[in-house]
Amino acid sequence: QVQLVESGGGLVQPGGSLSLSCAASGNIINVNDMGWYRQAPGKQREWVANITSDGSASYSASVKNRFLISRDNGKKTMYLEMNALKLEDTGVYYCNADLVLFRKEVVGSTITREIHWGQGTPVTVSS
């Protein structure tokens, strides 16, 4: 079973730092792009940052120069280092990944490409 599991969320004061991680597991042949999204209370989910398999990163304007996305391909894990946190960074943070999977069928097997999401980890920025 394929899983993306986030960890590292919590409560932090404004101006503080927090690090998140997202680990992929299962019958994964390859991990392509990975990304972080967040959803604040009462708002739609929004894109935060993205990183390609070769490490090219992109950020939303609201987090650029404060957040740093990285990944360890060997561990199939992505990270988000969040600095200078603001009240408006509060929300549930989700990771997603573009995965190439091996699926064993009743007869034979298949290789598929799927987008998977983690269950989310809450981040609260409050004084």
Side-chain angles (χ1 to χ4, degrees):
Q1 184 173 352
V2 178
Q3 278 190 311
L4 290 180
V5 179
E6 301 101 333
S7 60
L11 173 65
V12 63
Q13 291 186 338
S17 298
L18 206 60
S19 292
L20 307 181
S21 63
C22 170
S25 63
N27 294 333
I28 300 170
I29 296 173
N30 194 46
V31 183
N32 297 320
D33 289 8
M34 302 182 80
W36 287 99
Y37 289 71
R38 67 186 181 189
Q39 186 165 18
K43 294 188 176 181
Q44 289 190 333
R45 190 174 299 188
E46 64 172 356
W47 170 69
V48 174
N50 188 75
I51 186 165
T52 64
S53 56
D54 63 0
S56 295
S58 54
Y59 301 90
S60 68
S62 62
V63 307
K64 197 171 184 179
N65 298 322
R66 297 190 298 122
F67 289 13
L68 180 66
I69 190 172
S70 61
R71 63 189 285 171
D72 184 329
N73 290 333
K75 294 182 179 179
K76 297 187 182 68
T77 299
M78 172 179 63
Y79 307 94
L80 186 68
E81 180 183 333
M82 305 184 291
N83 302 303
L85 282 161
K86 304 176 181 180
L87 296 176
E88 53 264 40
D89 293 319
T90 294
V92 179
Y93 282 68
Y94 299 90
C95 68
N96 82 344
D98 177 357
L99 304 174
V100 179
L101 307 174
F102 173 84
R103 292 202 181 277
K104 198 169 183 181
E105 306 292 342
V106 174
V107 177
S109 60
T110 59
I111 294 176
T112 64
R113 185 170 176 175
E114 302 175 2
I115 302 294
H116 282 256
W117 289 85
Q119 81 290 349
T121 185
V123 171
T124 303
V125 183
S126 175
S127 54

